[in-house]
Amino acid sequence: MILHTLAHVGTDQFADHTGWHPKPQGLCQGDVCVPAAGSLRSDGTIDIEVAAQRLGMPLVHDEAHGVWALGPATLGGKALATATAADPELRTHDGRPFRLSSLRGRKVLLVAWSSY
Amino acid sequence: MEPAHTTKWIDAARPADPALAHPSVIDTQHITDELFGFSNIPMAVWIDEAGTIVRPAEGASIEQSPMRDMEIPEGLPERLTRLLVEVKSIPDVALDYRAAIVDWATNGADSPYVLSADEVVARSQPRGDDEARAAACFELGEHLRRSVGPDAAVPWWREAHRLYPANWTYKRQAWTLVTTAEGADENDLMQGPNDVYAGNWLDDVIASGGGAAYTIVPQL
């Protein structure tokens, strides 16, 4: 996730990019929750630095351009922490928003491809 | 890839029968790499009706490559011959994988190819500190390529390549941008030696152990 400040980020944006949702028990992805005291701020936003530390997410900084990138969680050493599929907002080629959850009730074969 | 560039590919993949239509979505920020563990293409995950992954990201070819049984012509340049040798050595389980998909579509949770939640997680791609940092470096590079210019991406993509050499998506995305001639209709699939990045397709495949190490072979 690209960040222009380390102060905080909205919970929806955080969940969209990372798959981790704030809940009373911590930051959760499917049935997996990580205690994350201090990561949810009183204004309802996520404290990026605290959340990154709790979830083992690297923060990379390009000083010249004043921008950070937050990497994915490293819990368990695997790309997936849970079998619950993430649900990012993607775009169709004509710009309409699309979520995998719009296909619930059907089997989904999600194929990654590029023409390279 | 910019959304506007995808139309011809999406049109080519559109089934003639509208009843078989499928969504095609664009992931310009490589979010799905991070969320599902894609590290090359084609790769796929299977997601059941409730939104549960029942097979993690793995190689997803469904047609045997025509190169598999091709005789390599004599007299080709040495480097091209070696490239074809490595391409032919990429494991090809396309027909078995396609049969597995059909079995799942038919039998659902009773398909022997459906994995438990624990197995899905265990079989997903590695994600240690280096792989996670590589993802951040790659995304930062892509952001800077779009917002500043191509040169701003280079140091971050070099670092992503160094941290996660088994991620071919990071490499191929970077290589194709420097080896494809300006104005060309098609991307340069050879992705040969260049002045910007240390690696290139052929030498990196050889260094990684050859074509056999190039793809995540589905364990069916």
Side-chain angles (χ1 to χ4, degrees), chain B residues 50-101:
Chain B
T52 300
I53 299 171
V54 295
R55 287 193 75 88
E58 57 194 350
S61 294
I62 58 167
E63 287 183 336
Q64 281 192 323
S65 167
M67 289 187 177
R68 183 181 174 82
D69 300 319
M70 183 187 88
E71 289 284 332
I72 299 176
E74 290 186 16
L76 293 177
E78 184 182 341
R79 194 170 173 86
L80 179 56
T81 299
R82 185 61 195 269
L83 185 143
L84 291 172
V85 167
E86 297 303 337
V87 168
K88 282 167 68 71
S89 72
I90 296 172
D92 190 336
V93 295
L95 298 184
D96 291 340
Y97 186 71
R98 183 165 64 184
I101 294 171

Side-chain angles (χ1 to χ4, degrees), chain B residues 20-125:
Chain B
L20 301 177
H22 55 79
S24 296
V25 293
I26 319 299
D27 179 13
T28 55
Q29 300 174 68
H30 289 246
I31 291 175
T32 55
D33 288 10
E34 298 187 17
L35 296 177
F36 295 100
F38 297 129
S39 56
N40 202 347
I41 54 98
M43 291 182 77
V45 298
W46 298 8
I47 303 171
D48 73 9
E49 293 87 339
T52 300
I53 299 171
V54 295
R55 287 193 75 88
E58 57 194 350
S61 294
I62 58 167
E63 287 183 336
Q64 281 192 323
S65 167
M67 289 187 177
R68 183 181 174 82
D69 300 319
M70 183 187 88
E71 289 284 332
I72 299 176
E74 290 186 16
L76 293 177
E78 184 182 341
R79 194 170 173 86
L80 179 56
T81 299
R82 185 61 195 269
L83 185 143
L84 291 172
V85 167
E86 297 303 337
V87 168
K88 282 167 68 71
S89 72
I90 296 172
D92 190 336
V93 295
L95 298 184
D96 291 340
Y97 186 71
R98 183 165 64 184
I101 294 171
V102 172
D103 188 274
W104 175 51
T106 306
N107 298 308
D110 293 330
S111 169
Y113 304 107
V114 166
L115 303 176
S116 70
D118 287 347
E119 207 165 356
V120 164
V121 172
R123 288 198 195 189
S124 67
Q125 292 299 291

Side-chain angles (χ1 to χ4, degrees), chain A residues 1-2 4 15-19 29 56-63 65 67-94 98 100 103-116, chain B residues 1 3 6-7 9-10 23-26 29 31 34-38 41-53 101 104-105 108 117 120-122 124-129 132-133 135-136 139-140 143-144 148 156 169 172-173 176 187-189 191:
Chain A
M1 176 168 51
I2 296 299
H4 296 279
D16 245 12
H17 281 78
T18 68
Q29 194 176 70
M57 294 169 159
L59 267 168
V60 174
H61 182 209
D62 187 305
E63 224 173 300
H65 299 98
V67 63
W68 287 260
L70 179 69
T74 54
L75 302 174
K78 289 290 182 179
L80 299 178
T82 171
T84 300
D87 190 26
E89 183 176 278
L90 300 169
R91 296 271 161 184
T92 63
H93 72 293
D94 52 359
F98 178 88
L100 288 172
L103 300 174
R104 286 288 147 75
R106 305 167 69 179
K107 297 181 185 71
V108 175
L109 182 71
L110 176 62
V111 180
W113 187 81
S114 172
S115 64
Y116 288 134
Chain B
M1 177 177 281
T6 63
T7 303
W9 305 104
I10 290 172
S24 296
V25 293
I26 319 299
Q29 300 174 68
I31 291 175
E34 298 187 17
L35 296 177
F36 295 100
F38 297 129
I41 54 98
M43 291 182 77
V45 298
W46 298 8
I47 303 171
D48 73 9
E49 293 87 339
T52 300
I53 299 171
I101 294 171
W104 175 51
V120 164
V121 172
S124 67
Q125 292 299 291
R127 167 93 33 87
D129 292 340
R133 189 166 292 276
E139 189 175 3
L140 189 50
H143 171 78
L144 294 174
V148 179
W156 292 107
T169 295
R172 295 179 72 187
Q173 175 75 81
T176 199
N187 289 331
D188 169 36
L189 298 178
Q191 299 176 352

Side-chain angles (χ1 to χ4, degrees), chain B residues 145-197:
Chain B
R145 183 183 75 83
R146 289 168 180 274
S147 60
V148 179
D151 291 349
V154 171
W156 292 107
W157 284 356
R158 284 179 181 150
E159 182 66 353
H161 299 172
R162 184 188 72 80
L163 289 167
Y164 193 0
N167 189 308
W168 294 96
T169 295
Y170 297 159
K171 293 179 175 180
R172 295 179 72 187
Q173 175 75 81
W175 292 335
T176 199
L177 289 170
V178 296
T179 64
T180 299
E182 199 166 334
D185 288 337
E186 303 287 344
N187 289 331
D188 169 36
L189 298 178
M190 299 280 287
Q191 299 176 352
N194 60 85
D195 295 335
V196 180
Y197 297 101

